């Protein structure tokens, strides 16, 4: 059974036992913690989730989260689009002991007595997927003219070579 609208709260254990499938969009502007890391919280992420029980008896939530996030490039300090394509493979567990016993291909999804907020789970996964230092993949627009920082010999232009003093010390030591 595929639900086109994403619920606010989920009961992952019940969803796993009934093999629910969810698909829909989550608005970035409603994710306050993620919003602090973004330049612009406009837009949405696409979420597709499958719940079930695997052959080893683990309840799981698997799926994908995809979208585009606006981050601040730390090289040029300009906004940049960062494409996110997450693959989720979460085992539904009730405590830390169960989480530690999981096979390495699962990440734990801790549940309690209360239903979980789906948006919080997705927001956590997006936060974990953010780059430590966001940077454009290509040249940021910090264009340095060829030859402006170096002379033809490869030495810095217009200033002292920072290694010149070391060279002097080395030659004095050999004398």
């Amino acid at each position: 059974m595929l639900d086109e609208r994403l619920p606010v709260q989920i009961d992952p254990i019940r969803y796993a036992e009934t093999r629910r499938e969810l698909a829909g969009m989550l608005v970035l502007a409603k994710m306050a913690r993620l919003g602090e890391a973004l330049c612009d919280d406009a837009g949405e992420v696409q979420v597709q989730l499958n719940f079930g029980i695997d052959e080893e008896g683990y309840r799981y939530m698997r799926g994908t989260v995809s979208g585009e996030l606006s981050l601040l490039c730390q090289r040029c300090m300009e906004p940049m689009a960062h494409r996110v394509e997450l693959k989720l493979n979460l085992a539904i567990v009730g405590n830390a002991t169960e989480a530690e016993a999981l096979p390495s291909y699962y990440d734990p999804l801790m549940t309690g007595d209360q239903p979980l907020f789906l948006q919080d789970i997705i927001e956590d996964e997006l936060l974990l997927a953010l780059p430590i230092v966001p940077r454009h993949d290509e040249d940021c627009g910090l264009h340095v003219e060829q030859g402006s920082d170096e002379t033809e010999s490869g030495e810095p232009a217009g200033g002292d070579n920072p290694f010149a003093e070391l060279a002097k010390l080395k030659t004095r030591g050999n004398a």
Side-chain angles (χ1 to χ4, degrees):
M1 165 199 273
L2 177 65
D3 289 340
E4 289 295 325
R5 282 189 24 220
L6 293 175
V8 174
Q9 292 183 330
I10 62 169
D11 181 348
I13 294 171
R14 186 171 57 90
Y15 279 25
E17 290 170 354
T18 58
R19 302 197 182 286
R20 291 281 294 269
E21 294 181 24
L22 303 174
M25 306 292 273
L26 287 175
V27 177
L28 293 173
K30 292 183 179 181
M31 299 182 195
R33 292 176 296 136
L34 180 64
E36 293 175 9
L38 302 177
C39 288
D40 182 5
D41 63 1
E44 303 171 320
V45 289
Q46 173 71 39
V47 178
Q48 294 185 322
L49 301 172
N50 299 309
F51 294 81
I53 302 172
D54 70 9
E55 51 284 338
E56 296 175 34
Y58 292 108
R59 292 180 181 97
Y60 64 80
M61 181 177 90
R62 295 179 182 150
T64 59
V65 178
S66 59
E68 200 164 276
L69 305 177
S70 178
L71 302 176
L72 184 65
C73 174
Q74 296 300 300
R75 186 179 294 144
C76 68
M77 302 308 284
E78 293 292 328
M80 60 175 255
H82 177 71
R83 184 81 188 147
V84 175
E85 296 285 339
L86 300 179
K87 298 234 183 277
L88 305 180
N89 195 24
L90 305 174
I92 302 163
V93 296
N95 57 49
T97 305
E98 291 177 16
E100 290 174 10
L102 287 175
S104 62
Y105 50 86
Y106 277 125
D107 289 322
L109 174 62
M110 299 288 282
T111 63
D113 297 334
Q114 303 295 319
L116 300 176
F117 288 94
L118 180 61
Q119 178 177 297
D120 290 347
I121 297 167
I122 301 304
E123 185 176 18
D124 288 345
E125 294 298 323
L126 288 168
L127 284 166
L128 289 170
L130 290 176
I132 294 170
V133 180
R135 291 187 296 227
H136 286 100
D137 289 335
E138 66 279 347
D139 186 21
C140 293
L142 292 176
H143 299 289
V144 178
E145 291 182 25
Q146 290 267 332
S148 64
D149 332 353
E150 295 183 353
T151 62
E152 288 179 22
S153 66
E155 305 248 340
D160 292 331
N161 180 341
F163 298 103
E165 290 299 314
L166 292 175
K168 289 178 189 175
L169 289 173
K170 183 178 176 184
T171 56
R172 278 189 225 152
N174 290 337

